[in-house]
Amino acid sequence: MYASEATQKYFHQAADHLNLPCGLRETLLLPRRELQVQVTLEREDGCLANFVGFRVQHDNSRGPMKGGLRYHHEVDLDETRALASLMTWKTAVVNLPYGGAKGGIDVDPSTLTSRELEKLTRVFVDRIHDVVGPDTDIPAPDMGTNHQVMSWFRNQWEKYHGFNPAVITGKPVEEYGARGREEATGRGVGILTVKLMKRLGRKPEDTKVAIQGFGNVGSHAAKFLHDAQFPIIAVSDISGTYYQEDGLNVPELIRHKFHHPNGLLEGFEHAKHLPMDSLLSLSDATVLIPAALGGVITDDNVDSVSAPIIIEAANGPIYPVADKKLHDRGTVVLPDILANAGGVTVSYFEWVQNRQHYRWSLDRVRQELDHTMSEAFEEVWQRAQQMKVPLRTAAFMIGIERVQRATELGGGW
């Protein structure tokens, strides 16, 4: 419910500044199509298990729809609808020729074997293959899915429609995936953190960073910022918070995580070990980067968050009530629809390469990512300064304006 309420609230805040009429607001908010399917899996013990799958296609006025596939036990239609809407504004903010979509299956993937996960994915494709494609709706990895799931998805879809790797992004590099896709979201977070600090007049070496979550996004953001001379004083995962006042050895942290059997920081000895939740309230952190789950900063704990700058690497890490409190006390928040758009940006580059039948170098991918994210940041920053609104409102305003213009030009309004 949080994702839906937050998305609607932020949309209407921006729409109020744009003076959008009610009818147009409803047009822009309502999804084009919602699909709910039954996914039946024969498990290895011979029993049948039934799951519910979703695909919500929100808007295609600016191009094919784009959005991840989430395998998680809390996936439902309401959350999927909200996240599809967010993808519409996110792709518009960074000016990609896409609309928004989202999908997934209500399943805990940790309860399935690899073979069962593959069968589940293939049955799901059987149910939705006729409404996705390289010119209509292009899925990608999300929570609970990865490049292997994308490879199964593509293989099953091509059984119906023939060879076309552009049907899905986030594929393995060996399977027409893009170099740099795995690091893209975290690298984008790092790029924009550097840009924001320059705008705020802060030097990297004097800006202490705390990162909640040390998965794919958090670890790549940490590496980028560490290389840019930012002291990373704390990181956390489910095993706790790891703190070093003068800065952690990030390469050593990454090596430890790589060699841990479960990919955790558990047992890392070259830092002070603190409770997991303590990272949010560290008093010496200048920049806080929530890079794990949504809804981690709430009305209950926002008063303990002292970092003056927050970069939303996760989707929806701040509840709207907490967001208002942070704004009222002067905290600068770089919103998720801009901060974590590096992933969908490099997904777009992957799609472009697939359509061109041509592979870019890693250097080119990184250069194009830097250019796209930097340009979007400058537009959002300038709008926020001109309109005297938070960066989140400015980002939504730009995204909504672009979708509105495309809708009007296409005769949809």
Side-chain angles (χ1 to χ4, degrees):
M1 186 63 70
Y2 155 70
S4 178
E5 290 178 354
T7 304
Q8 297 254 354
K9 184 178 181 65
Y10 297 143
F11 174 89
H12 286 299
Q13 283 176 347
D16 288 344
H17 285 282
L18 295 170
N19 295 315
L20 285 189
C22 293
L24 181 54
R25 294 189 192 207
E26 190 173 1
T27 298
L28 296 182
L29 275 174
L30 286 174
R32 303 284 188 199
R33 176 192 283 150
E34 296 181 349
L35 187 67
Q36 179 173 316
V37 297
Q38 179 180 342
V39 185
T40 302
L41 169 69
E42 183 179 354
R43 304 200 62 165
E44 292 186 8
D45 61 5
C47 294
L48 290 181
N50 293 291
F51 304 95
V52 180
F54 305 94
R55 190 68 182 173
V56 175
Q57 297 171 330
H58 180 256
D59 187 272
N60 63 354
S61 61
R62 303 185 70 252
M65 292 165 284
K66 190 84 183 77
L69 288 175
R70 178 171 290 199
Y71 288 3
H72 191 267
H73 64 278
E74 293 181 349
V75 168
D76 58 29
L77 185 57
D78 187 65
E79 179 196 54
T80 307
R81 186 185 293 132
L83 294 173
S85 170
L86 271 181
M87 284 302 301
T88 296
W89 320 127
K90 183 181 295 187
T91 54
V93 167
V94 291
N95 212 13
L96 304 179
Y98 281 147
K102 205 74 172 186
I105 302 175
D106 178 11
V107 61
D108 180 355
S110 67
T111 64
L112 303 180
T113 66
S114 177
R115 184 165 179 169
E116 289 172 339
L117 198 61
E118 178 182 352
K119 288 168 69 177
L120 183 78
T121 300
R122 292 184 182 277
V123 174
F124 186 46
V125 176
D126 291 342
R127 301 288 185 269
I128 71 167
H129 71 89
D130 54 345
V131 299
V132 299
D135 296 310
T136 53
D137 179 5
I138 306 126
D142 202 296
M143 188 184 300
T145 60
N146 55 22
H147 64 272
Q148 176 61 76
V149 175
M150 300 303 103
S151 188
W152 292 329
F153 190 105
R154 174 201 158 206
N155 179 270
Q156 190 69 12
W157 185 89
E158 288 182 342
K159 290 180 180 179
Y160 292 96
H161 302 278
F163 174 80
N164 198 329
V167 64
I168 200 162
T169 60
K171 302 180 294 292
V173 173
E174 300 86 353
E175 291 274 325
Y176 302 93
R179 294 183 176 97
R181 173 62 184 85
E182 198 150 307
E183 70 176 26
T185 305
R187 187 177 182 86
V189 168
I191 289 168
L192 294 197
T193 302
V194 172
K195 297 286 180 187
L196 181 59
M197 294 312 106
K198 286 181 179 178
R199 280 293 186 180
L200 296 175
R202 293 181 179 271
K203 295 180 180 179
E205 59 271 19
D206 299 327
T207 305
K208 295 183 176 182
V209 179
I211 303 176
Q212 186 203 37
F214 206 67
N216 180 54
V217 177
S219 61
H220 280 109
K223 182 181 185 303
F224 185 94
L225 292 172
H226 179 266
D227 292 344
Q229 306 305 310
F230 286 80
I232 312 299
I233 62 166
V235 299
S236 69
D237 63 10
I238 60 171
S239 68
T241 293
Y242 298 83
Y243 172 82
Q244 189 71 37
E245 184 180 2
D246 56 354
L248 295 159
N249 185 328
V250 173
E252 198 173 68
L253 278 168
I254 292 172
R255 281 194 297 272
H256 181 92
K257 170 185 164 67
F258 180 79
H259 289 106
H260 190 281
N262 297 316
L264 299 175
L265 296 173
E266 183 181 36
F268 186 75
E269 297 178 348
H270 307 293
K272 187 181 295 185
H273 185 253
L274 304 172
M276 183 173 62
D277 293 339
S278 66
L279 182 137
L280 295 175
S281 56
L282 290 174
S283 60
D284 54 344
T286 305
V287 177
L288 172 63
I289 303 180
L293 300 173
V296 295
I297 300 178
T298 68
D299 192 29
D300 294 332
N301 67 4
V302 66
D303 291 337
S304 67
V305 176
S306 59
I309 302 160
I310 299 176
I311 314 290
E312 292 188 326
N315 282 321
I318 305 175
Y319 270 74
V321 174
D323 189 63
K324 185 178 186 308
K325 285 187 175 182
L326 290 168
H327 173 67
D328 289 345
R329 72 184 191 215
T331 304
V332 177
V333 177
L334 192 68
D336 51 2
I337 65 167
L338 175 59
N340 67 24
V344 71
T345 300
V346 175
S347 275
Y348 167 64
F349 299 159
E350 180 179 336
W351 179 78
V352 167
Q353 292 171 74
N354 293 160
R355 303 307 297 262
Q356 294 176 331
H357 300 282
Y358 180 78
R359 174 164 284 177
W360 298 359
S361 68
L362 177 59
D363 283 345
R364 181 177 176 186
V365 171
R366 287 175 170 174
Q367 288 169 6
E368 295 283 356
L369 175 63
D370 192 316
H371 171 75
T372 302
M373 297 293 286
S374 298
E375 192 172 75
F377 171 80
E378 290 302 328
E379 289 176 339
V380 171
W381 178 266
Q382 294 299 334
R383 178 64 64 92
Q385 298 304 303
Q386 291 165 6
M387 300 294 296
K388 294 182 170 46
V389 296
L391 292 170
R392 188 189 310 282
T393 303
F396 268 87
M397 288 174 69
I398 291 171
I400 292 168
E401 278 181 336
R402 287 176 175 159
V403 176
Q404 175 191 0
R405 181 66 173 154
T407 300
E408 292 172 340
L409 288 170
W413 172 247

